């Protein structure tokens, strides 16, 4: 399912979007997310997580997908952002950050148990979304630990996604070599934000 | 190594680059000594042109590396995974500050120095800047005036390639410009508003060392047009921005008069007490620790303000027990930087159907307007603003709520226009702001490390306050909404415009250098980097270092030929 490996360089971005759209339809129901997550090589032992345990990785995968889902363009899972975050925690993060992520994910499960009596991954789709939206509503109670962890994790997903080829050049427009700067063009000429 | 050099130039940044160009083009055999490794234009720009997904960790530096190896350098906006090879490792290059008086010393030790990393803003000083010390009594009078440096500004601008617009402003003289970069729609609108409502102020496009339209001279050096990538600090193999590697080094090389010695730290300058001249430099190979002495008729110190000052302080002899050419005792004093991190930003409503293309490596500039025609009672001298308008990218997600499809849809469009202004202000020379050699701590090559003590004082604090008030006032008057003023007071050093510790002046008792950047005490010793500055003005200083270096080089060759050195 990792679209990034399948993009044929001969196709233009527009054609890729069209192809991806045809292949996937406009939006993927959430019930299929687990399939995507599990099919994403974890169970196959191929891309075994470097940092997280399988259970935590599954949770991370779910959250990653809920933050940036697949629409008419690839989502964060398609772009491999969950694998990226796992790699970053294994190779880039300090011990302190590593503990923060392990505890933070535990905290989200705890929150799910408190609210719905089940681990996050076992909750119904609307419960999952409701919980993340609650955590995302940062301004309400800014010093809640879970909330501040989630806003960090959300940023990790967002930054990870828009820095991948999929996020930067399929969802948005990427301009490697712009040439002369133009200060004032009709937005419709671009149609999307620069990444 | 053969010792047959007319001149030794220490340091290969912006100043050293100009020294080697001007000296070799006048026929001198020059040895360039650089403490860092060789850097090859193009080949060593390992992050150039790479998309984030093509960089390790998407361009981020591992957290432990960042906190342990780059504790100071990480404060610089330009440090990331694609540029870190151009910054020093703080652990290997220590200096000392009082913990309550931080100073951020941002450094790049490689061939090309910080000319690879600079922000490229290029502004002339005006007559007002050269007379400021004399008029208000802070610091010593500059031994030069605008007319002395003006032809040299012409000279360096033409060669370096400075893009800008002619404005006819007395406080910011026009120069030899390549075509200006464009303002975007919001900038044009804010410009109109500011200039209408504040008749003594103007908003212009930034003047910057980018080739918007290369000349024949630029093309012959292998330089090409700016591609608006705005990743300049990674290096630019188009040579579209001015650096030693893109411009002055190839110019010096083609004379066949240049020899380059990298990985060679200058420990001190050698003084010949009989001839009363600097006879050469003592160098330490940074890799092998081998010591060597090299001699020449002429020594140019261009090792950056604090680097040069450290070398001079460490060059002790019977004649100069407190450091070379320091009979005045003011070597190391009067350290200045620009004050910044004060301004305002907000949102500009409208123009939702307009967007830009390209990443302009430049912004707008509001030249100084205080204390020009009438005197402001609140503070001496003045400040300018840099800034600009833009539409924020997906990065605004950090401060907006939402997840899922709605977040993705929102980020597919750019954010509403924003506009920001950040001040850069003049710091007064003050002898209490100073550096000195530590008596105990030495670096791994046995060179005493620097102590740095530099704080913002009353005039600077007052100016910072007015900066953010003025910025708020101008933005609000221009139709910007939700204006947020700020005054964060960055640690000195972080503007990376440190200067002043071996200042020029008329009087050998109160200054180190004369009007030609020549040491009062030692005729064949020239210092042309930022350490020579007698005041800081508020303009970005590199263009002035270039002009002073070119001027001093020409004069030094003239004096050498006349047998005066």
């Amino acid at each position: 399912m990792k679209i990034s490996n399948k993009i044929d360089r001969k196709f233009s971005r527009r054609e890729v979007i069209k192809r991806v759209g045809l292949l996937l339809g406009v939006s993927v129901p959430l019930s299929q997310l687990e399939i995507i997550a599990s099919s994403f090589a974890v169970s196959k032992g191929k891309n075994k997580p470097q940092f997280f345990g399988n259970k935590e990785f599954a949770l991370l995968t779910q959250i990653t997908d809920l933050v940036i889902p697949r629409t008419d363009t690839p989502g964060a899972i398609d772009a491999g952002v969950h694998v990226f975050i796992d790699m970053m925690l294994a190779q880039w993060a300090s011990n302190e950050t590593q503990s923060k992520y392990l505890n933070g994910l535990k905290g989200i499960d705890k929150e799910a148990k408190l609210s719905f009596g089940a681990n996050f991954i076992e909750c119904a789709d609307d419960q999952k979304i409701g919980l993340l939206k609650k955590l995302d509503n940062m301004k309400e109670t800014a010093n809640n630990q879970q909330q501040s962890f989630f806003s960090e994790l959300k940023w990790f997903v967002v930054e990870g996604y828009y820095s991948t080829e999929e996020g930067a050049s399929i969802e948005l427009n990427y301009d490697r070599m712009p040439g002369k700067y133009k200060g004032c063009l009709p937005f419709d000429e671009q149609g999307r934000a620069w990444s | 190594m053969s010792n047959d050099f007319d001149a030794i130039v220490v340091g290969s940044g912006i100043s050293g680059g100009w020294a080697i160009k001007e000296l070799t083009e006048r026929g001198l055999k020059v040895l360039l000594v650089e403490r860092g490794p060789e850097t090859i234009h193009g080949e060593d720009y390992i992050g150039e042109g790479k998309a984030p997904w093509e960089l390790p960790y998407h361009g981020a530096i591992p957290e432990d590396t960042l906190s342990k190896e780059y504790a100071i350098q990480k404060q610089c906006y330009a440090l990331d995974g694609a540029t870190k090879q151009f910054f020093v490792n703080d652990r290997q290059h220590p200096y000392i500050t009082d913990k309550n008086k931080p100073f951020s010393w941002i450094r790049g030790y490689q061939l090309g120095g910080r000319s690879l990393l600079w922000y490229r803003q290029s502004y002339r000083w005006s007559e007002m800047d050269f007379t400021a010390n004399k008029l208000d009594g802070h610091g010593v009078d500059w031994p030069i005036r605008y007319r002395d440096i003006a032809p040299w500004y012409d000279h360096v601008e033409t060669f370096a390639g400075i893009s800008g617009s002619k404005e006819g402003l007395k406080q910011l003289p026009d120069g030899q410009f390549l075509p200006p970069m464009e303002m975007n729609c919001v900038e044009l609108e804010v410009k109109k508003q500011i200039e209408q409502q504040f008749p003594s102020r103007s908003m212009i496009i930034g003047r910057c060392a980018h080739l918007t339209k290369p000349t024949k001279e630029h093309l012959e050096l292998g330089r090409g047009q700016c591609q608006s990538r705005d990743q300049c600090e990674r290096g630019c193999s188009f040579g579209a921005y001015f650096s030693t590697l893109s411009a002055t080094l190839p110019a010096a090389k083609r004379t066949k008069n240049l020899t380059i010695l990298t990985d060679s730290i200058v420990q001190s300058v050698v003084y010949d007490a009989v001839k009363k001249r600097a006879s050469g430099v003592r160098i330490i190979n940074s890799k092998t620790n081998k010591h060597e002495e090299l001699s020449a008729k002429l020594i140019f110190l261009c090792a950056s303000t604090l680097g040069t000052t450290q070398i001079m302080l460490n060059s002790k002899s019977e004649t100069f027990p407190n450091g070379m050419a320091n009979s005045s005792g003011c070597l190391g004093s009067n350290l200045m930087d620009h004050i910044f991190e004060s301004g305002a930003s907000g949102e500009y409503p409208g123009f939702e159907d307009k967007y830009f293309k390209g990443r302009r490596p430049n912004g707008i500039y509001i030249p100084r307007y205080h204390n020009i025609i009438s005197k402001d009672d609140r503070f001496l001298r003045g400040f300018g603003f840099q800034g600009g308008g833009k539409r924020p990218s997906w990065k605004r997600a950090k401060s907006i709520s939402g997840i899922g499809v709605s977040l993705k849809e929102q980020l597919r469009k750019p954010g509403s226009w924003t506009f920001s202004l950040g001040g850069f202000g003049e710091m007064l020379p003050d002898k209490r702001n100073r550096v000195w050699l530590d008596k105990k701590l030495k670096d791994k090559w046995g060179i005493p490390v620097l102590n740095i003590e530099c704080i913002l004082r009353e005039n600077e604090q007052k100016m910072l306050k007015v900066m953010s008030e003025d910025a708020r006032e101008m933005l609000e008057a221009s139709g910007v909404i939700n204006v947020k003023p700020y005054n964060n007071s960055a640690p000195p050093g972080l503007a990376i415009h440190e200067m002043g510790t071996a200042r020029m002046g008329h009087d050998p008792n109160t200054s180190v250098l004369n009007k030609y950047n020549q040491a009062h005490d030692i005729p064949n010793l020239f210092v042309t980097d930022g350490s020579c500055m007698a005041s800081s003005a508020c303009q970005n200083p590199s263009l002035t270092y270039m002009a002073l270096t070119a001027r001093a080089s020409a004069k030094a060759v003239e004096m050498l030929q006349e047998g005066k050195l």
Side-chain angles (χ1 to χ4, degrees):
Chain A
M1 294 298 288
K2 192 159 182 296
I3 289 169
S4 62
N5 297 332
K6 293 185 182 167
I7 292 174
D8 189 330
R9 306 286 152 172
K10 283 181 291 190
F11 288 91
S12 72
R13 194 184 66 84
R14 214 164 281 281
E15 281 166 318
V16 170
I17 293 168
K18 225 162 87 187
R19 272 159 45 110
V20 171
L22 283 173
L23 273 169
L24 304 176
V26 169
S27 134
V28 179
L30 285 167
S31 56
Q32 286 186 25
L33 290 176
E34 265 120 314
I35 305 167
I36 294 169
S38 59
S39 73
F40 197 85
V42 177
S43 55
K44 292 176 196 161
K46 205 170 156 194
N47 279 330
K48 211 173 141 57
Q50 298 180 40
F51 174 71
F52 291 110
N54 283 347
K55 216 180 114 194
E56 292 152 335
F57 189 65
L59 174 56
L60 172 75
T61 305
Q62 283 254 305
I63 295 171
T64 302
D65 194 82
L66 291 168
V67 172
I68 306 273
R70 178 188 297 167
T71 52
D72 56 340
T73 62
I77 300 296
D78 301 319
V81 174
H82 55 324
V83 178
F84 172 73
I85 293 175
D86 173 64
M87 179 281 291
M88 289 292 273
L89 282 160
Q91 298 180 22
W92 165 87
S94 64
N95 290 341
E96 201 187 325
T97 304
Q98 289 177 334
S99 320
K100 188 166 61 189
Y101 274 78
L102 289 175
N103 293 333
L105 285 180
K106 273 198 196 99
I108 287 175
D109 256 345
K110 217 160 126 190
E111 198 84 14
K113 271 194 196 128
L114 266 175
S115 306
F116 311 114
N119 280 332
F120 185 87
I121 204 158
E122 292 148 2
C123 291
D125 291 344
D126 56 345
Q127 290 174 329
K128 290 173 187 165
I129 293 170
L131 178 60
L132 293 189
K133 281 193 170 156
K134 193 180 116 199
L135 291 176
D136 182 54
N137 222 337
M138 290 171 276
K139 280 166 201 156
E140 310 258 311
T141 43
N143 29 6
N144 182 314
Q145 236 179 348
Q146 253 84 273
Q147 283 184 329
S148 86
F149 169 71
F150 179 69
S151 72
E152 241 179 78
L153 176 58
K154 173 183 153 186
W155 175 243
F156 215 149
V157 174
V158 169
E159 194 179 30
Y161 176 68
Y162 291 103
S163 304
T164 61
E165 190 168 11
E166 291 83 347
S169 70
I170 299 177
E171 168 61 18
L172 301 182
N173 282 340
Y174 180 70
D175 206 349
R176 194 183 290 267
M177 192 80 78
K180 195 173 168 351
Y181 172 82
K182 291 292 191 186
C184 212
L185 296 170
F187 174 71
D188 292 342
E189 268 182 31
Q190 310 304 333
R192 288 171 194 237
W194 301 113
S195 53
Chain B
M1 169 163 283
S2 144
N3 247 346
D4 196 19
F5 298 106
D6 297 314
I8 292 173
V9 174
V10 182
S12 63
I14 280 186
S15 305
W18 271 99
I20 57 166
K21 172 187 179 294
E22 299 295 317
L23 296 173
T24 56
E25 286 180 349
R26 286 174 173 77
L28 266 56
K29 295 281 176 201
V30 176
L31 173 70
L32 171 64
V33 184
E34 165 55 49
R35 64 173 298 155
E38 153 131 69
T39 309
I40 299 169
H41 182 55
E43 200 173 298
D44 285 333
Y45 303 154
I46 55 175
E48 186 188 4
K50 291 215 165 85
W53 63 88
E54 294 161 344
L55 292 165
Y57 314 120
H58 286 187
I61 296 173
E63 287 187 312
D64 285 340
T65 310
L66 195 64
S67 60
K68 288 180 186 145
E69 318 286 322
Y70 299 102
I72 303 289
Q73 309 304 308
K74 72 178 182 190
Q75 298 168 29
C76 175
Y77 70 93
L79 178 79
D80 64 26
T83 60
K84 68 177 193 302
Q85 66 281 7
F86 298 144
F87 286 85
V88 299
N89 180 317
D90 287 308
R91 217 158 42 152
Q92 285 169 16
H93 302 283
Y95 63 95
I96 302 170
T97 55
D98 183 306
K99 70 176 184 324
N100 299 316
K101 298 172 184 170
F103 183 93
S104 305
W105 189 11
I106 308 298
R107 290 167 284 171
Y109 291 163
Q110 62 267 327
L111 192 65
R114 290 182 298 185
S115 77
L116 291 172
L117 294 168
W118 69 311
Y119 193 64
R120 310 164 305 280
Q121 292 286 295
S122 302
Y123 300 102
R124 289 188 178 205
W125 284 28
S126 71
E127 184 66 4
M128 170 180 82
D129 300 309
F130 290 105
T131 55
N133 284 3
K134 188 175 186 184
L135 288 178
D136 65 29
H138 290 270
V140 295
D141 185 21
W142 274 91
I144 58 168
R145 291 294 182 260
Y146 181 68
R147 64 175 178 277
D148 297 309
I149 197 174
W152 295 99
Y153 276 136
D154 288 340
H155 175 74
V156 297
E157 283 164 349
T158 305
F159 177 80
I162 308 295
S163 136
S165 56
K166 297 219 175 197
E167 303 284 345
L169 300 168
K170 211 178 153 201
Q171 75 275 35
L172 196 76
D174 292 332
Q176 307 299 320
F177 295 144
L178 299 175
M181 291 183 183
E182 274 186 36
M183 285 193 194
N184 60 46
C185 346
V186 163
E187 289 165 346
L188 288 167
E189 190 57 31
V190 170
K191 170 185 168 67
K192 203 165 74 189
Q193 294 297 331
I194 287 178
E195 291 177 357
Q196 256 171 25
Q197 300 184 51
F198 305 89
S200 67
R201 306 182 192 179
S202 358
M203 190 180 117
I204 67 175
I205 188 70
R207 294 172 178 172
C208 56
H210 287 259
L211 301 184
T212 47
K213 193 178 170 195
T215 63
K216 188 164 165 273
E217 186 180 30
H218 300 137
L219 295 168
E220 277 170 5
L221 281 167
R223 302 183 62 193
Q225 188 162 330
C226 176
Q227 300 297 315
S228 309
R229 294 182 292 180
D230 196 22
Q231 296 169 341
C232 315
E233 55 273 8
R234 298 180 184 185
C236 177
S237 54
F238 292 94
Y241 75 91
F242 172 86
S243 71
T244 298
L245 298 193
S246 71
T248 44
L249 185 70
K253 272 184 173 168
R254 69 185 171 187
T255 65
K256 312 269 186 231
N257 287 328
L258 181 70
T259 305
I260 303 171
L261 197 58
T262 52
D263 303 300
S264 299
I265 301 168
V266 172
Q267 186 246 16
S268 56
V269 180
V270 186
Y271 183 66
D272 182 334
V274 177
K275 292 182 181 159
K276 296 183 177 171
R277 296 290 185 272
S279 57
V281 294
R282 297 182 190 91
I283 62 168
I284 305 170
N285 185 300
S286 66
K287 290 179 168 158
T288 63
N289 250 329
K290 200 182 134 217
H291 289 233
E292 193 177 358
E293 208 171 294
L294 297 164
S295 58
K297 295 172 200 148
L298 188 59
I299 310 290
F300 264 68
L301 293 181
C302 304
S304 85
T305 295
L306 297 181
T308 287
T309 305
Q310 185 177 23
I311 291 170
M312 292 173 79
L313 287 169
N314 198 36
S315 306
K316 292 175 182 167
S317 59
E318 227 168 89
T319 318
F320 298 109
N322 301 315
M324 188 162 230
N326 190 21
S327 66
S328 67
C330 62
L331 179 66
S333 301
N334 301 295
L335 175 61
M336 297 168 279
D337 186 28
H338 284 139
I339 56 171
F340 74 125
E341 282 287 301
S342 175
S345 61
E347 294 152 39
Y348 194 92
F351 292 110
E352 292 285 333
D353 58 338
K354 293 286 190 290
Y355 204 24
F356 43 78
K357 185 181 184 321
R359 298 178 290 276
R360 188 186 60 196
N362 185 24
I364 60 89
Y365 191 63
I366 296 180
R368 174 176 156 184
Y369 49 85
H370 280 288
N371 290 316
I372 294 181
I373 295 162
S374 58
K375 198 177 165 332
D376 193 305
D377 293 332
R378 294 171 294 179
F379 57 86
L380 296 168
R381 311 202 187 182
F383 54 83
F385 284 107
Q386 296 181 27
K390 62 169 188 181
R391 296 191 76 168
S393 68
W394 55 267
K395 288 179 182 157
R396 70 191 189 281
K398 205 164 194 173
S399 56
I400 60 178
S401 56
I403 59 162
V405 176
S406 67
L407 175 68
K408 203 175 165 189
E409 274 172 3
Q410 201 179 343
L411 297 178
R412 188 172 279 191
K413 294 253 156 68
S416 298
W417 288 90
T418 59
F419 201 94
S420 64
L421 288 176
F424 278 81
E426 177 158 4
M427 190 168 168
L428 293 176
D430 187 310
K431 66 178 183 193
R432 294 170 294 178
N433 290 337
R434 64 189 190 103
V435 302
W436 66 95
L437 295 181
D438 197 69
K439 292 203 165 66
K440 288 182 202 147
L441 190 63
K442 292 179 175 174
D443 67 16
K444 68 189 243 196
W445 300 278
I447 298 171
V449 307
L450 277 186
N451 282 272
I452 307 177
E453 181 169 313
C454 184
I455 61 169
L456 305 190
R457 300 175 193 274
E458 204 185 338
N459 198 61
E460 286 84 31
Q461 299 292 359
K462 285 180 178 165
M463 198 189 282
L464 281 169
K465 196 162 164 278
V466 178
M467 264 181 200
S468 83
E469 285 166 7
D470 278 14
R472 181 186 53 76
E473 187 185 29
M474 280 189 279
L475 293 185
E476 282 177 348
S478 312
V480 178
I481 58 169
N482 298 326
V483 176
K484 291 191 178 71
Y486 62 89
N487 180 0
N488 300 329
S489 179
L494 198 53
I496 326 181
H497 296 165
E498 70 277 8
M499 59 180 113
T501 43
R503 67 185 175 192
M504 294 164 78
H506 300 285
D507 184 353
N509 293 312
T510 57
S511 60
V512 180
L513 308 169
N514 71 10
K515 63 181 174 180
Y516 294 113
N517 296 71
Q518 182 182 27
H520 287 301
D521 294 337
I522 305 171
N524 68 334
L525 178 67
F526 289 76
V527 178
T528 74
D529 56 32
S531 54
C532 75
M533 304 295 274
S535 69
S536 70
C538 66
Q539 298 92 317
N540 306 54
S542 296
L543 187 74
T544 300
Y545 302 166
M546 295 188 210
L548 288 173
T549 303
R551 181 174 175 270
S553 303
K555 192 69 189 178
V557 174
E558 193 186 305
M559 289 193 273
L560 189 66
Q561 284 163 351
E562 288 168 358
K564 289 180 181 167
L565 299 183

